[in-house]
Amino acid sequence: MFDEFRNETFQICAMFFCTINDFLAYGNLSDYCVKGHHACPIYEEDTSYIQLKHGRKKVYNRHRRFLKPHHPYRRLKKVFNGSQEHETARISLTGEQVFQQVQHLNTIFGKTQKKGKK
């Protein structure tokens, strides 16, 4: 970073604290893959999806588990996938659990070259 008042450069460390964006932009900001079988960054391996019969698209379902236990939408069958939702959402991770997941990540800052190009 350049400080024009002092006419010198210095190193600055910054962090995104809060953003409002769509899911694809979230993936770009966090460098998390928001496509495929484990697209949900919270549920990861427990992400619930189905593959469409006549296409390659995946549909992520079972969002009703995030509703309150006695919400009327949990009982609706016809407008969803033909079943009621009885499962509850997973308890949020603690800060220590998140740290355990990310402590071994090696972050390389800056732009990288695309594979296959010289």
Side-chain angles (χ1 to χ4, degrees):
M1 191 71 126
F2 183 73
D3 184 350
E4 191 164 335
F5 181 75
R6 293 186 177 161
N7 198 24
E8 61 185 26
T9 59
F10 64 95
Q11 186 173 357
I12 187 169
C13 295
M15 174 180 83
F16 280 112
F17 178 71
C18 181
T19 62
I20 298 173
N21 45 271
D22 65 5
F23 204 57
L24 294 175
Y26 166 78
N28 289 338
L29 285 172
S30 64
D31 197 27
Y32 186 86
C33 182
V34 292
K35 300 175 184 175
H37 301 292
H38 307 302
C40 179
I42 297 168
Y43 274 79
E44 291 181 336
E45 63 276 347
D46 295 332
T47 300
S48 180
Y49 70 93
I50 56 173
Q51 180 91 28
L52 295 179
K53 290 180 184 177
H54 302 291
R56 298 184 328 193
K57 295 197 179 227
K58 292 172 183 58
V59 178
Y60 303 99
N61 53 358
R62 302 195 42 226
H63 293 85
R64 292 180 289 164
R65 60 183 155 175
F66 296 101
L67 296 172
K68 293 182 180 181
H70 299 292
H71 195 282
Y73 281 9
R74 284 179 165 268
R75 294 187 303 274
L76 293 178
K77 293 181 183 180
K78 197 178 271 187
V79 294
F80 291 103
N81 59 353
S83 65
Q84 293 183 350
E85 181 63 62
H86 300 290
E87 187 180 338
T88 57
R90 184 196 313 183
I91 297 171
S92 297
L93 299 175
T94 65
E96 181 64 31
Q97 290 169 320
V98 172
F99 177 71
Q100 293 298 322
Q101 289 183 352
V102 300
Q103 70 179 348
H104 300 294
L105 291 178
N106 183 16
T107 305
I108 301 171
F109 296 102
K111 294 184 179 181
T112 58
Q113 300 262 338
K114 291 187 177 182
K115 293 180 181 176
K117 293 191 176 187
K118 294 182 180 179

